[in-house]
Amino acid sequence: MPGRRLPDGAPPRLDVGVQELPEGGFGWHLIRHLSDHLSYRHDDGRNRLEIRIRAEGEGSWD
């Protein structure tokens, strides 16, 4: 991870002409939008990413 932190996940600009629309850049925005919990840490030379997505109808994580 750049800077050992999660990317902000700002959505790409869509208020441009069709030819200028991005082909990528949606990943972290979607991950942040769909997840209930997101954490990252760097331990022993490894990146550890935890993403929790609650299934519909499940209770809280508490």
Side-chain angles (χ1 to χ4, degrees):
M1 295 282 179
R4 293 196 175 164
R5 61 184 277 284
L6 291 171
D8 292 332
R13 290 191 56 179
L14 301 177
D15 60 346
V16 296
V18 173
Q19 296 299 321
E20 290 82 37
L21 285 171
E23 290 186 23
F26 296 91
W28 281 106
H29 173 69
L30 288 171
I31 290 169
R32 287 185 176 278
H33 183 76
L34 296 172
S35 65
D36 294 303
H37 171 82
L38 185 61
S39 68
Y40 165 78
R41 68 182 193 273
H42 186 83
D43 288 332
D44 297 322
R46 294 180 181 212
N47 292 312
R48 302 189 184 271
L49 177 64
E50 181 180 351
I51 302 171
R52 293 184 196 169
I53 299 172
R54 187 176 313 134
E56 188 174 331
E58 284 187 12
S60 68
W61 295 110
D62 298 330

